[in-house]
Structures are given as C-alpha cells and as structure tokens.
Amino acid sequence: MQILSNIVPRFKSELSNIYDDREIVSIAYISIEYIFGFNRSECIINSSKTLENDNINKITFIINELKQKKPIQYILGETEFYGLKFKLNNSTLIPRPETEELVEWVLKDSFDSAIDICSGSGCISIALAKATSSKVSAIDISNDAINIAIENATLNNVSVDFYCKDIFSVNNLQKTDVIVSNPPYVLESEKIYINTNVLNFEPHIALFVEDNNPLVFYNKIAKLATQSLNIGGMLFFEINPKLSKEIKILLSGFGFVDIELKKDINDKIRMVKAIWK
C-alpha cells in the first residue's frame, strides 16, 4: 500500500541523479498539488492518505517524463505566473520570474491601454489586464501560442484582444499608452550555455536571435512605438543583459527619453523602460 507521504521520497529516489534535492522536492510538491489539490501543509495533514492506482500511475508518468528532462510545466500543461494559472504547450515559453518583475514594473505606472508584442502564452498581457481596467491587446507570430493565450484569458476571466501576426510585417499599431515586449533575445552563440531541458522542449523561435542582428526585434518594435505610443507613453522590454548598452543607444537614437535600465532579482540588467515625448 502506498500513501501520500511516500511520494516525495520516491521522487528523490528516482530523480536524484538528474536534479538537485531542492528542485526535486519543489517538483514533487507541484505534482502533488496538481493531482490531489494539496499544498505543503495539507500534505502533512493528509500524509497517511492511501493512493489509488490511477494516482500512482499519474506519479509514475510524471517521474518518467522528468527522467527525459522535460520541464514539469510542460508535463502538467500549466504553470503559475503573477499569481495566475496559465496553460502551456510546446509553442509557448515557460514564463520566468524575471518576466513577473517586468510586469510589476509596468504596473507601477497608470495607463489606459497596452500592447504586448511577442506575447506567447499571454502571461504579460493577461496579468496586466487582470490588475488594471486598461484595454489590452497582444501580438504573436504563432497561431498555436495565440490559441493557448485565448484559453488563458478565459481561464483568468479577462478580456485581451489577441492577434496572430508577424511583427516584421506590421507597419502600424493602434495608439496606446504602453508597449511591452519580451522578444527573443538569447544569442545563437549562447546555446552552448542553455540547459538541455530548455533546448529540447521550449520553442526556439521564441528564444533565439542571430548573433549578427541581435537587436532586430527591439529595432522593429521601437520603430513601431514611435508611431503608436501616445505622448508620454512608455516602452518596456525584457532584454539580454549583454545587450543593455546597445539597446539604450538604440532607443535614444529613436528619440526616446528617460531611458532606465533595471536589474532583476539575480542582479542582472534584465529590463529597460523608455518614455516617448
């Protein structure tokens, strides 16, 4: 007979050669909450709960997928971002804590409208729509990502206008107070430093840019922003720390002012804000 308190030790036993102990425990409790709906304290209360065969099979499936280094978020098909639940598939990046910091920075200002470019799962646009009464729209090149984003908007009971477009084919955007983007910014040459679980499972189109044109998304979006941002409007980007100086020069060249770089929780320059005057 297997009981709830056996689950975490089983995860440790089967995955210790792949993940560190802290990560294993975290993944185990995420899995338990997904299957049983128990948080950590509820696991203690229900520690002697007998596991049914169906749930044992689910645990086995998750562990076997983890052995292939598949991220737990893709195994479960969901994750949490900014306190909200989001569905995911292999057409959408797993939202990162750094992007939560970007959302938090955007929300420090008041605005009536916002556009999220390269929106993926919709995590940024949906978080902004949930936290404000602003009119929010979002653009992504992937139809599969847009479909997931629409599901996520419904899941979180918000209204966001999603558009499946190649941003490089867009010549103008509607007028808005805020443009925010977390575009592809990892250099192709940086692939050798990227974890296997990212390389093998997350969409490369949403991650990587060519080394010989690393600012291609920033250049295009900044150009569109000069035409669509209202006076005093704000442009926010998540960025590659290696390119922070170049991005600041780029934005200044377009006429943006009050350009501010911001570090993330890991003390890396990860975000930039600029004002359109």
Side-chain angles (χ1 to χ4, degrees):
M1 183 179 71
Q2 295 190 43
I3 59 176
L4 191 72
S5 61
N6 297 147
I7 294 176
V8 174
R10 182 181 172 190
F11 269 73
K12 287 182 177 180
S13 172
E14 297 201 38
L15 298 170
S16 60
N17 62 331
I18 302 174
Y19 305 93
D20 65 48
D21 193 65
R22 184 176 176 183
E23 190 173 9
I24 292 171
V25 171
S26 175
I27 290 171
Y29 280 112
I30 289 171
S31 302
I32 291 169
E33 184 161 7
Y34 177 79
I35 295 171
F36 300 97
F38 297 151
N39 60 31
R40 289 200 185 201
S41 58
E42 289 168 337
C43 284
I44 297 170
I45 298 169
N46 294 278
S47 62
S48 60
K49 176 182 173 64
T50 302
L51 304 184
E52 297 176 1
N53 286 335
D54 181 51
N55 290 330
I56 294 172
N57 291 338
K58 288 177 182 178
I59 293 293
T60 301
F61 172 79
I62 290 170
I63 289 173
N64 287 339
E65 290 287 280
L66 288 166
K67 287 178 179 177
Q68 306 306 313
K69 298 188 177 179
K70 188 172 185 177
I72 186 65
Q73 295 90 338
Y74 287 141
I75 298 169
L76 304 183
E78 65 179 40
T79 192
E80 188 175 289
F81 178 86
Y82 213 73
L84 304 173
K85 185 173 285 188
F86 285 84
K87 294 183 178 181
L88 298 176
N89 64 18
N90 58 10
S91 296
T92 59
L93 287 180
I94 298 168
R96 267 51 173 197
E98 297 89 342
T99 308
E100 289 185 313
E101 293 182 69
L102 177 64
V103 167
E104 192 166 338
W105 199 17
V106 176
L107 288 172
K108 288 186 182 297
D109 292 286
S110 59
F111 52 90
D112 295 322
S113 53
I115 301 173
D116 173 20
I117 299 175
C118 304
S119 59
S121 64
C123 61
I124 293 175
S125 55
I126 290 167
L128 294 180
K130 192 72 174 178
T132 70
S133 57
S134 302
K135 177 177 172 55
V136 181
S137 58
I139 298 170
D140 197 275
I141 193 173
S142 168
N143 192 59
D144 288 340
I146 289 292
N147 288 336
I148 283 288
I150 291 169
E151 285 189 51
N152 285 328
T154 301
L155 181 66
N156 288 289
N157 196 30
V158 298
S159 176
V160 176
D161 295 322
F162 290 102
Y163 301 96
C164 185
K165 294 181 179 179
D166 179 353
I167 195 64
F168 296 105
S169 299
V170 174
N171 296 318
N172 56 73
L173 299 169
Q174 68 228 42
K175 284 289 185 178
T176 188
D177 294 329
V178 168
I179 291 176
V180 58
S181 182
N182 177 19
Y185 61 67
V186 182
L187 302 177
E188 287 282 345
S189 59
E190 293 180 305
K191 278 185 177 179
I192 58 173
Y193 306 112
I194 302 296
N195 289 338
T196 304
N197 60 338
V198 175
L199 280 179
N200 289 352
F201 294 100
E202 299 206 46
H204 287 205
I205 191 174
L207 283 169
F208 297 105
V209 287
E210 298 290 339
D211 285 56
N212 61 3
N213 196 9
L215 302 184
V216 58
F217 283 91
Y218 299 98
N219 185 69
K220 175 64 178 182
I221 295 167
K223 184 177 180 180
L224 288 170
T226 64
Q227 302 162 10
S228 65
L229 277 178
N230 294 322
I231 299 301
M234 297 165 285
L235 176 60
F236 292 86
F237 283 122
E238 186 170 322
I239 65 173
N240 186 328
K242 290 182 177 180
L243 302 172
S244 59
K245 291 181 181 178
E246 292 88 340
I247 289 171
K248 193 170 184 179
I249 292 168
L250 174 77
L251 294 176
S252 180
F254 273 112
F256 287 91
V257 298
D258 300 333
I259 301 167
E260 183 182 354
L261 297 169
K262 187 176 177 65
K263 291 183 177 180
D264 63 19
I265 196 170
N266 298 312
D267 204 37
K268 293 182 178 180
I269 298 174
R270 184 67 64 183
M271 295 158 272
V272 63
K273 173 186 177 183
I275 307 298
W276 182 246
K277 295 285 188 181

